[in-house]
Amino acid sequence: LGMKGCLKHLVAVVVILGMLADGALGGEVSCQRLGLRVSRVELDAAVKDVVWLPGQVVLIITKKNTLYRSADDGRTFRTVMDQLEDSETEEAPYKNGVMGMFPSDADSKRVFIKGGGKVHWVSYDSGQSFHTRRMGMAIGDVKMHPSHPNCILSSRLSDRCLGVTSIGFCYNSLYVSYDFGTSWKLAVSYVQQFDWGPHDETVIYSAYEKADGHQFLQDTGRLNVYRSTDMLKTERNIRLVVHKGVGFKVSKSGVYVAVASDGGTMELFVSRDDARSFLPAVFPQLLSQTRYTIMDQDDGTVFVSVEHPKNAQIEGDSTQSSSDSVTVGDIYASIADGEVLFQDNFENGLSRWRGQHRSSVPSNSKVVDDPLCVGGTGRNGKDTEGTGCRGKVLKMQDCSAEGDAFSLESFTCSVSFPCKVSFWFLGLAWQGFADGYPGRHVWSAAGDDEERGNHHKTATIRDRWTRVEYVFPRKHSEFVWAEGGKKLGHDASGETRGRHVISRVRMMLEAHSTSCNSTYFDDVRITRARTEDYVMALRDSTRDNTGHVDLHMARGLPGILFGNVITEEEEIRSLRTSDMGNEWLPLSPPTNWQDRHCQYNPHTSKWTSEGGEACALHLHMGHKIKGAPGRWEFRAHKEADRRFGPLLTNEHGMGLVVATGNVGTHLEQEPDEAEMFVSRDAGRSWSRVMEGSAAYDIGDQGSLILAARNHGPTSDVTLSVDSGATFRMCQLTAEGEIFEVHDVLADPNASSTNFLVLGTDDGSEDAQVYSVDFAMLFPRKCSDADMAGDPGSDFELWSPKGDVSSLSDSKKVEQETACLLGRQINYVRRKPQARCYVGDMPMASLERSCACTESDYQCDFCYERVGEDAAALRNLTRAACVWACEGKEPAVAPAVCVGTYLKSRGYVRIEGDSCRGGLDLEPQRLPCPVSAVANSASHEEPLPIGGGGGMKDVFGAS
């Protein structure tokens, strides 16, 4: 262009950005005049699915089963059906074309394309080329292995189900492929549900006891849950683990199984050890439980929505409306682990470790900086998702013998007092327990024979930090455990090898000699394992009969959640919490809100309606979250419709929340009564964007927002280039053209400046995809992220703040700089006024711990928040925890008590909270009463492994 041309282009960009940032929505200006690059592609039908792959590749399936591909981030598309052999062949009763896409977690360039008939396709290069897989059968659901790209699970209905034949029975079968779909093996018939397990070679599935008759006419009470430990290669490695398991979910926090019980209700059982053993989930009250939805966070916190008759106990009023059981549930939160027995993050070196044979320091390990840390040295903040800087870590080197690093402290881990073990690792970690240096020991996290000992095997992982968590001991063990170290004789076979008696153990770390120099440990933690106790987090939460729950966890911001509840008047209201469900508060309307039906009273500091009722912002809780690789997953409100825009957050757009709802006394149910809102501080304050429901998405790590009305024909879109600080409207379509918007999508990683607006022509089925690209608006890439907050940097530091309503006025000023979950985190994000694009630049965060306050604790099991009205009567704060289990008394010392025991004060630290010092509301350690000590002394018989809890009557042989 030359110097003059470049200057003219730069001036034009500055003028356009000034027009965009003027904050005015009015003005019919074409999007092209504002500097956006707009292109339109016509498809043969409306879009059914969209997937993003590496290299700016986007794949689209239409409702006519046609596959389109874009190699430029969605700016242009072309059909690839000519590359899919036999895709046009139609053989009754099968359909031709493409039915589904399944990208791989293990290899981001791979994708499995499911055909409508007996032919399917795979791609190794993001859809640039395809290979035919002639399976000879139509398939149903497909599960790609999370770490082995060649391994696939798939289901297939029998020919009787498909109407191909009238002979035989209708049933579902499970197949497995070990070569990316080239060949398939029939594994199990009469399968109901299946998934890959927590460990690499584990498969979990449910199947009927009797493989006979029509499967879908059988009683679901005859379903069992099974576990394979070798990817279904042999039958001998398949075990029945749960009787009457009618449904399960494999989650990042464990395996959850719903078990059919008497009276048509269900119970929930949980495994934290790769489905080897299960514990019952214990809720504060005996409830008629009919269905569960599991929602978990990266820090290990688990929320369980239990569907049951509204506030009705099993022996309560039987006249409750049956409709309540499918629309209302209570949400419970998992309780953090018990007493911390040992923990070390190696920030202070090896001061808490010893080497072999009582050597003063470990000889084959040292403390180093995180080898995966971008930019060299680590920070004090610890990463919780396996990426980024972890600070100081333990590196193994020159391994030659067993157990190089032993903890100085010892502690009791036994059947009666099990421990929960967790640590992060790189490489191939060996971790175990010993009673000496090394002494008698067991490799509990790296054993060679699962049936001999309670081994929790780890895979070799070198490219990311991986977390291990398990309970020890469980079931069989190379140790014979005896309380107080009481010795036992030989076992039944007379064998004594590996049958050592032990009561107190030390943590032991090592690595295999072949991978020693590339193995690292961090955040080693031993706690007293609790039962699977859950405490009340949110009563009367709204949900639907498909299991979708109106609870949204802010992506990338642990502790911040949004939820909807239903009142006695059957009105839906929205709430927000910033402390993991500890305390819920209404959402404040926009500060500049002007509506005679809902006004702010400065004397009471409250929003009220004309009739004096409380006013607030209420949101529809349809979710749009990143699911499978490169794909958005939708969880829509009530009956899974998409009349309303979703509640949208993204871990790459910190603090940004986009939502649809209304200001008033309750949530309205018509799209015309909804409006679009945006928050830049994780939901503490809001701004109104536009009238009506809309579809929207964010791009360029939260700096860009694009929205369009989705409840009627339109020609316009609304956009922001300053992270939602201001918005501007422009005309997207050609003059006189309108179309119906179905959705607005961008790359789920939010690193692109390009958006896709999906829709159909008004009054027809002709589908359109508009590409709206902001790239031309920004002349340069943002810089100086490492100097965020400085005037010359394009980036700012933003820190989420806690809520203050339950605190006294004297504490509110102090709380304005409060931490969330015991720490204050400063996130780096682009300044709203910066005129640059972020792209895929990694965004860092800075973290420091805070002193503990009341907000760092949740109510313990059988305790609940007292509430505002009862608090005033009892002279308590509204956040105080009081006993809530009717017919029960607070726990006293256990019948068998050794030395001391813990007594709850009504509080327990929130899972994932890292506060230090300050207010201590943890359970008190008290000396055992004399009578309990006497009982302990008389308890001579040791408890066998797996003998606690009477679980074998529930689950049978395992």
Side-chain angles (χ1 to χ4, degrees):
L1 287 176
M3 181 63 71
K4 290 185 178 179
C6 290
L7 288 175
K8 287 181 179 180
H9 174 71
L10 182 59
V11 170
V13 169
V14 172
V15 171
I16 289 171
L17 288 171
M19 294 170 61
L20 287 170
D22 65 4
L25 280 177
E28 284 294 320
V29 179
S30 71
C31 296
Q32 289 91 335
R33 279 198 61 192
L34 292 181
L36 278 68
R37 185 167 56 187
V38 178
S39 59
R40 186 181 75 167
V41 176
E42 295 186 1
L43 307 178
D44 64 353
V47 173
K48 181 167 66 174
D49 195 9
V50 184
V51 165
W52 276 262
L53 298 175
Q56 294 192 323
V57 173
V58 184
L59 300 181
I60 283 181
I61 300 178
T62 68
K63 291 186 177 180
K64 288 188 177 180
N65 304 331
T66 303
L67 180 63
Y68 291 84
R69 180 178 186 268
S70 170
D72 54 9
D73 203 23
R75 297 171 181 87
T76 60
F77 283 91
R78 70 174 187 86
T79 178
V80 295
M81 298 302 291
D82 57 337
Q83 298 183 50
L84 305 180
E85 294 183 12
D86 297 334
S87 61
E88 301 301 322
T89 303
E90 187 165 355
E91 177 186 352
Y94 309 110
K95 297 180 180 180
N96 63 355
V98 173
M99 304 300 292
M101 301 179 288
F102 301 90
S104 171
D105 255 328
D107 183 344
S108 57
K109 290 186 177 182
R110 293 198 193 193
V111 59
F112 183 91
I113 305 296
K114 171 185 166 182
K118 299 180 179 180
V119 180
H120 314 277
W121 306 270
V122 299
S123 175
Y124 294 86
D125 52 12
S126 298
Q128 188 172 344
S129 61
F130 294 91
H131 304 268
T132 305
R133 297 291 189 255
R134 303 182 189 280
M135 294 174 57
M137 62 182 183
I139 58 177
D141 196 12
V142 175
K143 302 282 188 181
M144 309 293 287
H145 196 285
S147 58
H148 294 298
N150 285 327
C151 298
I152 310 173
L153 297 175
S154 181
S155 61
R156 180 203 177 217
L157 290 172
S158 66
D159 289 344
R160 179 66 184 275
C161 298
L162 300 173
V164 176
T165 179
S166 59
I167 301 174
F169 298 110
C170 173
Y171 59 90
N172 196 35
S173 297
L174 174 60
Y175 286 76
V176 59
S177 173
Y178 308 109
D179 51 15
F180 202 35
T182 301
S183 61
W184 293 80
K185 171 191 172 183
L186 172 62
V188 187
S189 295
Y190 287 78
V191 166
Q192 183 79 3
Q193 188 181 353
F194 59 92
D195 205 348
W196 296 105
H199 289 180
D200 276 359
E201 297 195 351
T202 304
V203 176
I204 312 295
Y205 67 90
S206 61
Y208 285 89
E209 287 182 349
K210 186 178 180 182
D212 189 23
H214 293 300
Q215 173 176 333
F216 304 103
L217 297 179
Q218 295 195 34
D219 181 7
T220 56
R222 296 172 59 190
L223 277 169
N224 297 323
V225 175
Y226 299 84
R227 170 180 178 258
S228 167
T229 56
D230 63 357
M231 294 186 179
L232 298 169
K233 292 177 181 177
T234 60
E235 287 190 21
R236 71 173 181 273
N237 286 320
I238 295 177
R239 300 283 189 276
L240 190 160
V241 291
V242 180
H243 275 300
K244 297 184 177 182
V246 298
F248 70 85
K249 178 180 178 180
V250 177
S251 168
K252 65 186 71 175
S253 59
V255 180
Y256 300 79
V257 179
V259 176
S261 56
D262 296 336
T265 60
M266 290 189 288
E267 295 180 86
L268 183 66
F269 288 82
V270 186
S271 172
R272 307 289 186 190
D273 58 359
D274 194 38
R276 290 185 180 90
S277 58
F278 287 80
L279 291 173
V282 182
F283 299 100
Q285 297 174 336
L286 188 62
L287 299 168
S288 178
Q289 305 158 22
T290 59
R291 207 179 321 207
Y292 304 91
T293 300
I294 310 299
M295 301 155 286
D296 53 3
Q297 297 216 133
D298 291 328
D299 64 359
T301 304
V302 178
F303 292 94
V304 179
S305 173
V306 182
E307 180 185 278
H308 49 70
K310 185 177 177 182
N311 293 334
Q313 297 191 15
I314 289 178
E315 298 180 357
D317 184 4
S318 61
T319 63
Q320 286 282 339
S321 169
S322 61
S323 64
D324 283 342
S325 66
V326 297
T327 59
V328 179
D330 290 343
I331 296 177
Y332 297 86
S334 60
I335 297 180
D337 296 331
E339 176 188 8
V340 176
L341 304 176
F342 177 82
Q343 63 179 351
D344 193 9
N345 59 11
F346 304 107
E347 294 299 325
N348 296 318
L350 292 173
S351 59
R352 304 183 66 185
W353 299 85
R354 297 197 65 158
Q356 297 182 58
H357 310 298
R358 298 186 179 274
S359 63
S360 57
V361 294
S363 57
N364 299 116
S365 55
K366 65 178 180 179
V367 172
V368 299
D369 291 323
D370 177 0
L372 298 187
C373 176
V374 177
T377 58
R379 301 186 303 269
N380 289 332
K382 291 290 184 177
D383 168 66
T384 59
E385 297 181 1
T387 59
C389 293
R390 297 195 58 84
K392 299 294 184 181
V393 298
L394 179 70
K395 180 184 187 300
M396 310 305 295
Q397 59 183 5
D398 302 326
C399 305
S400 59
E402 299 169 325
D404 178 65
F406 299 84
S407 64
L408 284 173
E409 294 97 327
S410 64
F411 33 83
T412 298
C413 292
S414 66
V415 177
S416 298
F417 301 98
C419 298
K420 178 174 283 190
V421 185
S422 66
F423 59 89
W424 292 80
F425 77 93
L426 278 174
L428 178 57
W430 281 22
Q431 178 273 315
F433 295 96
D435 65 345
Y437 305 96
R440 296 167 295 186
H441 61 273
V442 57
W443 291 113
S444 56
D448 57 356
D449 186 346
E450 183 179 344
E451 297 307 313
R452 277 184 59 232
N454 178 25
H455 299 308
H456 186 101
K457 298 179 182 177
T458 64
T460 302
I461 301 176
R462 305 187 191 280
D463 60 344
R464 68 185 186 277
W465 283 96
T466 302
R467 188 170 187 264
V468 169
E469 179 181 286
Y470 66 99
V471 173
F472 181 80
R474 288 276 185 88
K475 293 187 177 179
H476 310 289
S477 176
E478 292 180 358
F479 289 159
V480 173
W481 298 93
E483 308 309 321
K486 180 177 174 59
K487 294 183 178 296
L488 299 180
H490 297 287
D491 60 16
S493 64
E495 178 67 37
T496 58
R497 179 183 179 274
R499 303 288 290 175
H500 303 300
V501 176
I502 193 168
S503 61
R504 294 185 67 84
V505 292
R506 302 175 191 275
M507 185 73 154
M508 181 172 61
L509 304 179
E510 180 59 287
H512 193 277
S513 58
T514 59
S515 59
C516 179
N517 292 327
S518 58
T519 297
Y520 302 79
F521 290 88
D522 193 26
D523 279 353
V524 176
R525 182 181 174 92
I526 310 292
T527 61
R528 180 65 62 216
R530 305 178 64 128
T531 57
E532 287 295 331
D533 292 347
Y534 291 82
V535 297
M536 179 64 67
L538 185 63
R539 283 195 183 277
D540 301 334
S541 167
T542 51
R543 51 178 290 144
D544 64 22
N545 55 11
T546 65
H548 295 166
V549 179
D550 288 345
L551 181 74
H552 181 91
M553 304 176 186
R555 308 293 293 177
L557 295 172
I560 297 179
L561 300 91
F562 302 86
N564 280 349
V565 297
I566 191 166
T567 67
E568 294 182 356
E569 295 79 20
E570 297 190 354
E571 294 179 339
I572 296 175
R573 297 176 180 173
S574 297
L575 301 171
R576 174 184 180 271
T577 178
S578 60
D579 52 13
M580 206 70 81
N582 186 30
E583 183 178 14
W584 295 84
L585 299 171
L587 280 68
S588 299
T591 52
N592 59 349
W593 186 259
Q594 295 180 354
D595 186 340
R596 63 183 179 85
H597 300 296
C598 186
Q599 296 184 345
Y600 181 74
N601 187 333
H603 300 292
T604 61
S605 299
K606 293 182 178 179
W607 290 83
T608 56
S609 67
E610 292 177 299
E613 296 182 80
C615 265
L617 173 61
H618 305 284
L619 304 177
H620 294 277
M621 292 286 168
H623 308 327
K624 187 160 114 178
I625 62 175
K626 184 180 178 183
R631 173 186 278 129
W632 284 111
E633 286 187 355
F634 297 91
R635 301 188 62 187
H637 182 76
K638 294 295 180 293
E639 300 177 358
D641 66 13
R642 294 191 187 178
R643 295 178 301 157
F644 302 100
L647 199 166
L648 175 63
T649 59
N650 191 303
E651 59 267 38
H652 299 290
M654 284 301 181
L656 194 61
V657 187
V658 191
T660 297
N662 62 272
V663 174
T665 58
H666 61 276
L667 184 65
E668 301 289 354
Q669 298 300 314
E670 295 299 326
D672 289 338
E673 296 173 321
E675 298 184 88
M676 175 182 165
F677 297 88
V678 65
S679 171
R680 299 191 66 251
D681 55 8
R684 277 173 58 92
S685 62
W686 295 84
S687 300
R688 175 185 174 277
V689 178
M690 59 188 287
E691 292 183 354
S693 177
Y696 35 76
D697 208 341
I698 67 174
D700 197 37
Q701 304 214 35
S703 61
L704 303 177
I705 303 174
L706 186 69
R709 287 166 56 93
N710 67 344
H711 60 102
T714 185
S715 60
D716 304 322
V717 292
T718 300
L719 58 98
S720 172
V721 296
D722 51 15
S723 304
T726 61
F727 284 84
R728 177 67 191 261
M729 183 182 292
C730 67
Q731 182 175 316
L732 178 67
T733 64
E735 192 68 31
E737 292 184 1
I738 57 176
F739 81 128
E740 294 187 2
V741 174
H742 296 173
D743 210 343
V744 175
L745 296 176
D747 183 346
N749 290 320
S751 60
S752 175
T753 59
N754 190 56
F755 293 78
L756 303 182
V757 183
L758 314 178
T760 54
D761 287 346
D762 184 33
S764 74
E765 295 184 359
D766 296 335
Q768 312 287 340
V769 175
Y770 283 88
S771 165
V772 182
D773 190 2
F774 290 73
M776 296 293 291
L777 293 178
F778 303 108
R780 62 183 179 86
K781 190 171 184 177
C782 299
S783 61
D784 298 323
D786 57 341
M787 299 175 62
D790 288 355
S793 173
D794 291 319
F795 296 90
E796 65 180 3
L797 292 174
W798 172 78
S799 178
K801 293 182 172 62
D803 297 310
V804 300
S805 69
S806 65
L807 303 174
S808 64
D809 291 337
S810 62
K811 292 184 179 180
K812 286 187 178 181
V813 175
E814 176 186 349
Q815 185 71 4
E816 282 300 317
T817 58
C819 304
L820 295 181
L821 299 183
R823 53 191 178 269
Q824 183 174 21
I825 305 179
N826 288 314
Y827 294 99
V828 177
R829 63 183 189 180
R830 199 199 76 171
K831 292 177 179 177
Q833 68 274 18
R835 299 305 180 228
C836 55
Y837 70 94
V838 180
D840 57 1
M841 183 187 305
M843 293 290 98
S845 61
L846 305 175
E847 177 180 324
R848 69 172 181 86
S849 297
C850 300
C852 299
T853 66
E854 192 175 21
S855 63
D856 295 299
Y857 297 88
Q858 66 187 29
C859 293
D860 204 346
F861 186 76
C862 268
Y863 289 84
E864 288 187 26
R865 297 290 170 187
V866 65
E868 191 169 3
D869 295 336
L873 295 175
R874 301 171 65 172
N875 195 27
L876 299 170
T877 66
R878 61 179 289 176
C881 295
V882 297
W883 185 255
C885 284
E886 297 180 5
K888 298 180 181 179
E889 295 295 330
V892 294
V896 178
C897 188
V898 180
T900 61
Y901 73 99
L902 292 176
K903 180 179 181 181
S904 176
R905 306 184 200 184
Y907 301 86
V908 64
R909 186 87 67 88
I910 296 172
E911 185 117 33
D913 192 291
S914 59
C915 69
R916 297 181 180 179
L919 181 63
D920 182 10
L921 295 177
E922 295 276 18
Q924 293 175 290
R925 178 165 295 283
L926 301 174
C928 293
V930 176
S931 58
V933 173
N935 289 337
S936 176
S938 64
H939 186 72
E940 296 183 355
E941 290 298 319
L943 296 176
I945 294 294
M951 294 301 297
K952 64 179 181 180
D953 296 331
V954 179
F955 297 113
S958 59

